[in-house]
Amino acid sequence: MDLEATVHMVLPLETGQSARGEWKRQDVIFALPGEFDRKLCVEFWNDRAVDAAALRPGDRVALSINVESREYNGRWYTRVRAWRMNRLEAQTGAPAGAYPPPYPPANAAPAGQQAYQQPQYQVPQQPQQAQPTSAAEVDDLPF
C-alpha cells in the first residue's frame, strides 16, 4: 500500500539484541491528509530506522507500507511497517523565516572564512494610541 503523509512526531529509537543479532526500531507518527485529522504510527526496522530517525515534524514523505494483523490470546494486534520511504520536499513544521536557522557549534568556521553571525530580528512596533487632550475625552464612561 502506498500513501503520502506529513511527519507529526518521531518517537525515540529502540534497540535490542536477539539471537540473530542487534536490531533497531523507529516509530514515526504521521498525519494523514483528509477531512479529519488522522494519525498513523508506522514502524521502521534496522537500516530504515536510521533513515526514519532523520525525519523532522513537518517533513512530507511518500511511504510504501504493509499492514498486518495477528491474533494473540484472543486479541488482535495490527502493525504498520514501512518498507520504502521517499521524501517529497524538504519542509519543516515552522513557516519559513519564523525561527532563526540552527546555530553551528562554537569555533565551527573553517580557516579563512568568517565566523557565523547571528541574524538580527526586529520586533514589530505596536501602533501608539492618541493621548486624550481634554477632561471630556478622559471621562468616557456612560454613567
Side-chain angles (χ1 to χ4, degrees):
M1 173 186 284
D2 295 326
L3 59 97
E4 291 181 8
T6 304
V7 176
H8 177 71
M9 182 186 322
V10 179
L11 300 178
L13 179 69
E14 296 179 30
T15 60
Q17 191 73 27
S18 69
R20 295 184 197 170
E22 184 180 356
W23 56 266
K24 297 175 189 173
R25 185 180 91 181
Q26 177 70 58
D27 290 340
V28 180
I29 310 298
F30 290 97
L32 300 176
E35 185 178 349
F36 300 103
D37 188 26
R38 296 178 299 157
K39 305 289 189 290
L40 179 67
C41 181
V42 179
E43 298 177 343
F44 294 85
W45 286 86
N46 297 323
D47 293 340
R48 292 179 191 93
V50 175
D51 295 337
L55 292 172
R56 298 290 170 248
D59 287 348
R60 287 182 33 89
V61 295
L63 296 170
S64 296
I65 59 173
N66 288 336
V67 180
E68 62 181 86
S69 296
R70 61 182 174 79
E71 184 265 337
Y72 179 73
N73 288 340
R75 296 194 63 188
W76 284 88
Y77 299 90
T78 302
R79 294 183 127 170
V80 180
R81 292 185 182 189
W83 52 274
R84 181 173 48 201
M85 174 185 70
N86 295 320
R87 289 182 188 231
L88 296 177
E89 57 189 54
Q91 175 183 343
T92 60
Y99 300 103
Y103 300 111
N107 302 326
Q113 291 187 0
Q114 229 178 15
Y116 181 79
Q117 297 291 323
Q118 181 175 352
Q120 299 296 319
Y121 296 99
Q122 295 179 355
V123 177
Q125 296 289 332
Q126 294 290 333
Q128 294 183 354
Q129 296 180 354
Q131 297 293 328
T133 57
S134 68
E137 290 179 16
V138 172
D139 188 19
D140 62 349
L141 297 176
F143 48 90

